[in-house]
């Protein structure tokens, strides 16, 4: 399995304490800017068909817009009911102000 780095945005595209929905290959990915550090998780909530990019960032947590379940952004761990299944996280690298996300192929 090799890591395939995909350029998905520039750092300035990701609002501080906000989200940005991007595509990393076939997968919808949600980017976050937590105090200047960029994180990436799968965009789809593990509880239902909701886009986490439409959710609410609270510290290091993203709250799903549909049933208000929460996930820990840096680890993808399900943190609040009704979410019980973790979401995938992606390695992120920044080069010359561009955000790259690694998608395993
Ligand atoms: S779909 Fe996200 S908490 Fe239900």
């Amino acid at each position: 399995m090799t890591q395939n780095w995909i350029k998905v945005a520039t750092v300035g595209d990701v609002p501080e304490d906000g989200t940005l929905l991007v595509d990393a290959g076939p997968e919808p990915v949600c980017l976050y800017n937590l105090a200047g550090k960029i994180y990436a998780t799968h965009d789809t909530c593990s509880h239902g068909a909701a886009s986490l990019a439409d959710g609410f960032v609270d510290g290091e947590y993203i709250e799903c817009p549909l049933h208000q379940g929460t996930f820990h952004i840096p680890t993808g761990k399900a943190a609040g009911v009704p979410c019980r299944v973790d979401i995938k996280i992606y390695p992120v690298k920044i080069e010359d102000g561009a955000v790259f996300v690694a998608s395993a192929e």
Side-chain angles (χ1 to χ4, degrees), residues 7-11 92-100:
K7 182 180 172 186
V8 291
T10 64
V11 172
V92 171
K93 73 174 179 181
I94 310 295
E95 275 182 14
D96 295 331
V99 180
F100 291 80

Side-chain angles (χ1 to χ4, degrees), residues 37-90:
K37 183 159 187 215
I38 305 294
Y39 295 88
T41 72
H42 200 286
D43 183 60
T44 307
C45 181
S46 62
H47 180 251
S51 168
L52 295 176
D54 292 333
F56 174 70
V57 175
D58 182 12
E60 290 191 335
Y61 294 85
I62 178 72
E63 183 184 271
C64 177
L66 203 51
H67 308 112
Q68 289 72 52
T70 56
F71 299 94
H72 184 233
I73 294 167
T75 61
K77 295 273 180 215
V81 291
C83 301
R84 301 197 183 282
V85 178
D86 300 345
I87 51 171
K88 183 175 173 182
I89 58 170
Y90 301 82

